[in-house]
Amino acid sequence: MSPTTSTCPTALRESIAQLEARSNRMRRDVIRMVHAAACGHPAGPLGMAEMMSVLYFHEMAVDPTQPAHPMRDRFILSNGHCCAALYSTLARRGFFPAKDLAQFRKFGSHFQGHPHLGALPGIEMSTGSLGTGVSVAGGMALAAKVDGSPARIYAVTSDGESQEGQPWENATAAAHYGLGNLTLLLDWNGIQIDGRTEDVMNPGDIGAKYAAFGWQVIEVDGHEIQGLIDALAEARADESRPTLLACRTTIGKGVSYMEDIPDFHGMAPNDEQAIQALRELGDVSPEDLNHEKPAHWTE
Amino acid sequence: MVASPRMDRTAPPPVKQEATRAAYGRALEALGHQRTDLVVLDADLSGSTKTRVFAKSFPDRFFNIGVAEMNMAGYAAGLALSGKLVYCSSFAMFAAGKAWEPIRQSIAITNANVKIVASHAGLTVGEDGASHQMLEDLALMRVLPNMRVIVPADSRQTEAAVAAIAEIDGPCYMRVSRAATPILQDLPSFELGRADVVRDGEDIALITCGVEVAECMKAADLLAEQGIDALVLNAATIKPLDDVTVAHVAQRCGRVMTVEEHQIIGGLGEAVASSLAQSGVAVPLRLHGMKGEFGQTGPAKNLLDHYCLDAAGIAAEVQSWLAS
C-alpha cells in the first residue's frame, strides 16, 4: 500500500463528551472481558481508559481500513498485561468486531493474554515482557526519522516497568537521537503486582528521571481528557526531543472497590463483583453475565 | 550431494589469512550500496565488529546504540518492523547473551527482519578471558523459533553469507571471529541450509563449523599420515541443519565426531546428534568441544591447543577414540 494511492490516515479529534463516553464504554468492555476469561488484569486497563480514548479517538492518525499504511501513527502497549484496554480500543476504533472481545484469553482465539503482533489488525508489537516495548517504540521512531515520515510513535509504559533496565537504555538513546516523534505515556498509578511501588522497589520521581535524561516531561492527570489532549499537542510541538506524559492515574478507576487496590492488578472479579462493577459503570444489563451475547458489546 | 575432490597438496600455495569479522565489514559496506533499506546498529564496538566500515560509507544509515545491547535488539526490531533491513553487531557474549530476552520477545516472536552478526565468539577471542569467550551462543540462538544460525568457515564464505541472509525475510544469527584464520581453497560459496564436504574420506566424518573447519582440514592431513582417512563436513548453517548431508557422511564413514569452539551442550554437536537420531542413522558419535567448563586467558593459539581444538588436538582425539 502506497501513500500515493491511498488516503493518509487522519486523527478523529472527537469531542470531550465523546471521549468520556468512549472511556466508559472501554471500562465496561474490560470488566466483561476479564470476567469472561476468569483471569487477567482488570484494574490497570480501567486506569488507562482516558489515555487510550484520547490517543485513538483524538490524537493518533490511524485508519482501520488501512492498518498497514506506512504513514500511520504507531502505538505500542509496553505494559502489555493491560491489553484488555488495547483490545477494546482497537475494536471500538473499528479494527475488528467488538463482539469478538468475548474471546479474550480463550483457547484458539486471537486475543492472547498479552499483545501478539499479527494476531489482530492494529496490534503493532508483541509485548508483555516489561521493558521491551518502549525500546521497540524507540526503534520505530528512529525508522520514521530516517525516512522523513510524519508518522509519530506512541507507547504506554508504567511505573512498575520503570524498574526494568531496558527503558532507561531507550531513554538515553531516544534523547541522543532527538526522537521528537516519540511520545511515552507513563501510567503512574503507584501499584504493581506485589503491592505499592514505593514499598516493592521505589522508582522515585520517574518524571524527573526522564527530564534528567533529556526528555520533555509533562505531568498530567491521566483521567482529565482536556489535559491529555493539551499535553499531546505540546509533545507534537517539540520536534527536538522525545516527550514523556507523566500521567497520574488511579488503578481500577471507575469501579469503587477496585480503585487504588493492588489486589485487582492481576485478579478477575467474581460474579458479584462483576455485576457491581457493571452497575457502577452504567451497563444496561449488569446482571446478565452471559458475555457471548452480541448485545452486550453493541448496546 | 556430490563430494568435492580432494585438494591437491603437492604444491601448497601460501595460506592467506583473514578474520571473518573483516570480511563482514567489507561485505556489509558492499551490501549498503545495493540495499538502500539497509540500516546497521552497533553497541560501541564498531571498530572491532567492523561495522565501522559501513558507517564510514553510510553515516546516515548507521546508528551507534552505545553500551546497551538490550536496547539495540529493541531498536533493531522497531526498525525492521518499519520496513528496514537491519544488521546489528556486538561481541557474541553481549549480542546473544545479554540481549537474549529482547531478541526472543521483540525479534524472534515477530519474525522481524534482523540479522544479528556477532563477532569475537568462542575461545579465539583469546586474552579477554572467560567473561568474553562466548561458548553458549549457538545454544541460545538455536532454540529460538524463526531464528536461523550460521557460522561461516572463512572470510570468503562470510562475504557470501552476508549477502545471502539479506535475501531471507526473517531473523538470522551469524557468528564471526576475531582471530585471523586461513582462507580455504576450493570452498563452495554459501547457501543457507547446505553443508559442504570440504574434504572427502571414509574412516571418520568430522562435522564442524567456523574457525574449526581449517583446524579439521589440517587434522585430516595429520590423520592421513596415520592411515586414517577423515572426511570434513563444513556445517556453516547450524539451523536449519543439512540433515540429508549429515546423514550421508555419517553413513559413508560409519563414525562421526563433531568439532566446535562452543559447549558440546546445545551447539553443533547436539544438533548433529539430534539430526542423526531422527534420521535413524546409528553410528558411533563423539562430541568434541568445550565440555562443561569456561575458558581462560591467553592467546587463541594456546587456548585451542589446551582444549584440544587445534589440528593436533583434534587428530589426537580421533586417534584415541579409534584406539579405544
Side-chain angles (χ1 to χ4, degrees):
Chain A
M1 183 162 330
S2 146
T4 56
T5 57
S6 59
T7 314
C8 278
T10 51
L12 283 184
R13 308 284 181 214
E14 285 193 350
S15 70
I16 294 201
Q18 285 173 305
L19 295 170
E20 280 171 352
R22 297 279 182 200
S23 304
N24 173 266
R25 174 76 261 186
M26 191 187 310
R27 290 192 164 99
R28 285 185 285 141
D29 284 348
V30 166
I31 293 299
R32 288 200 179 272
M33 289 167 75
V34 179
H35 182 261
C39 65
H41 302 77
L46 293 176
M48 292 170 53
E50 284 79 16
M51 291 157 56
M52 295 300 290
S53 297
V54 170
L55 280 172
Y56 273 86
F57 295 93
H58 192 277
E59 173 72 9
M60 286 172 50
V62 295
D63 180 351
T65 68
Q66 308 178 82
H69 196 291
M71 312 286 258
R72 73 192 185 281
D73 290 343
R74 271 79 163 175
F75 174 79
I76 294 178
L77 185 73
S78 199
N79 54 339
H81 57 278
C82 291
C83 60
L86 176 61
Y87 293 153
S88 167
T89 303
L90 291 175
R92 299 299 170 187
R93 189 66 176 79
F95 283 89
F96 45 82
K99 65 177 174 52
D100 293 355
L101 295 173
Q103 304 310 311
F104 181 53
R105 285 181 166 246
K106 298 277 173 65
F107 176 73
S109 87
H110 299 300
F111 297 85
Q112 292 204 32
H114 296 82
H116 188 74
L117 182 67
L120 291 163
I123 302 283
E124 295 284 5
M125 188 59 200
S126 299
T127 55
S129 169
L130 294 176
T132 60
V134 285
S135 190
V136 175
M140 288 183 175
L142 184 59
K145 185 169 178 169
V146 168
D147 287 341
S149 165
R152 297 186 55 78
I153 316 300
Y154 298 87
V156 169
T157 183
S158 69
D159 42 8
E161 180 173 39
S162 303
Q163 292 165 354
E164 292 277 2
Q166 198 176 349
W168 302 107
E169 295 185 356
N170 173 58
T172 306
H176 178 84
Y177 285 114
L179 301 180
N181 55 355
L182 175 65
T183 301
L184 299 188
L185 289 82
L186 171 66
D187 182 19
W188 203 352
N189 58 32
I191 280 175
Q192 58 191 117
I193 290 189
D194 267 2
R196 300 196 177 273
T197 54
E198 62 189 19
D199 298 329
V200 176
M201 181 52 62
N202 191 352
D205 187 341
I206 300 169
K209 287 183 178 178
Y210 271 90
F213 276 75
W215 288 49
Q216 172 177 223
V217 175
I218 306 166
E219 190 160 332
V220 291
D221 178 342
H223 303 299
E224 211 271 296
I225 286 172
Q226 188 62 55
L228 286 166
I229 290 172
D230 294 345
L232 287 166
E234 262 188 85
R236 245 183 289 123
D238 191 338
E239 297 177 2
S240 67
R241 53 183 179 155
T243 295
L244 178 84
L245 264 61
C247 305
R248 294 286 188 177
T249 57
T250 301
I251 200 168
K253 179 78 174 176
V255 175
S256 58
Y257 63 87
M258 281 197 200
E259 287 193 4
D260 202 34
I261 302 298
D263 291 351
F264 284 100
H265 182 289
M267 186 175 74
N270 61 28
D271 290 357
E272 190 185 337
Q273 290 166 332
I275 290 166
Q276 183 186 339
L278 290 169
R279 193 175 287 141
E280 289 182 21
L281 293 167
D283 195 276
V284 296
S285 48
E287 286 80 16
D288 186 350
L289 298 180
N290 178 7
H291 308 297
E292 296 287 337
K293 272 192 198 168
H296 288 313
W297 308 97
T298 52
E299 55 81 17
Chain B
M1 196 268 320
V2 179
S4 58
R6 282 189 190 225
M7 288 168 10
D8 178 6
R9 241 165 278 284
T10 52
V15 179
K16 288 183 183 163
Q17 297 217 340
E18 185 181 42
T20 48
R21 62 180 165 130
Y24 168 53
R26 194 164 58 239
L28 197 59
E29 199 271 348
L31 188 63
H33 290 282
Q34 295 161 21
R35 295 286 297 263
T36 55
D37 58 342
L38 173 60
V39 170
V40 176
L41 308 179
D42 204 298
D44 192 40
L45 288 166
S46 62
S48 298
T49 66
K50 301 302 178 188
T51 59
R52 186 173 290 170
V53 180
F54 176 91
K56 281 183 176 161
S57 293
F58 305 102
D60 295 340
R61 289 192 273 141
F62 173 81
F63 298 97
N64 203 324
I65 301 298
V67 190
E69 297 79 11
M70 293 191 296
N71 197 43
M72 181 167 74
Y75 271 53
L79 284 156
L81 294 172
S82 301
K84 301 298 179 191
L85 167 64
V86 183
Y87 281 61
C88 60
S89 291
S90 180
F91 286 3
M93 186 67 246
F94 318 121
K98 185 164 287 190
W100 186 86
E101 208 262 0
I103 290 171
R104 180 191 187 276
Q105 304 292 7
S106 303
I107 295 173
I109 277 186
T110 62
N111 201 32
N113 197 15
V114 174
K115 320 301 173 187
I116 303 159
V117 182
S119 76
H120 293 60
L123 282 174
T124 47
V125 66
E127 293 86 343
D128 279 352
S131 72
H132 281 53
Q133 289 161 2
M134 185 35 142
L135 299 164
E136 300 86 21
D137 54 332
L138 303 180
L140 290 172
M141 291 297 135
R142 266 184 72 215
V143 74
L144 289 174
N146 293 335
M147 186 67 74
R148 293 85 167 173
V149 181
I150 296 142
V151 188
D154 73 351
S155 65
R156 282 203 297 233
Q157 193 168 49
T158 300
E159 286 186 280
V162 169
I165 61 178
E167 301 301 317
I168 299 162
D169 185 16
C172 298
Y173 177 82
M174 188 164 98
R175 188 195 227 215
V176 293
S177 301
R178 175 194 184 199
T181 52
I183 298 173
L184 300 165
Q185 304 298 310
D186 303 328
L187 192 66
S189 187
F190 176 83
E191 183 184 316
L192 184 79
R194 192 191 70 203
D196 297 308
V197 174
V198 291
R199 175 188 172 116
D200 197 15
E202 54 188 24
D203 294 337
I204 184 169
L206 300 175
I207 302 181
T208 186
C209 63
V211 301
E212 289 299 318
V213 175
E215 296 301 328
C216 282
M217 297 287 278
K218 286 185 277 185
D221 288 344
L222 297 173
L223 290 166
E225 292 166 12
Q226 308 296 318
I228 299 167
D229 192 14
L231 177 152
V232 179
L233 182 70
N234 171 28
T237 308
I238 312 286
K239 182 190 171 192
L241 190 64
D242 186 345
D243 296 316
V244 172
T245 303
V246 166
H248 174 85
V249 301
Q251 284 166 328
R252 171 166 171 76
C253 299
R255 182 180 291 271
V256 171
M257 188 167 93
T258 59
V259 182
E260 59 192 315
E261 55 162 355
H262 185 276
Q263 303 292 352
I264 59 171
I265 294 176
L268 171 67
E270 283 197 349
V272 168
S274 169
S275 173
L276 289 174
Q278 295 193 74
S279 298
V281 177
V283 298
L285 170 66
R286 177 165 290 203
L287 310 188
H288 185 48
M290 292 300 282
K291 299 180 174 72
E293 60 182 318
F294 294 107
Q296 56 185 293
T297 194
K301 183 176 181 305
N302 295 110
L303 294 169
L304 293 181
D305 170 55
H306 178 79
Y307 294 104
C308 298
L309 284 166
D310 62 356
I314 295 162
E317 188 80 10
V318 170
Q319 283 178 288
S320 77
W321 187 23
L322 294 178
S324 65

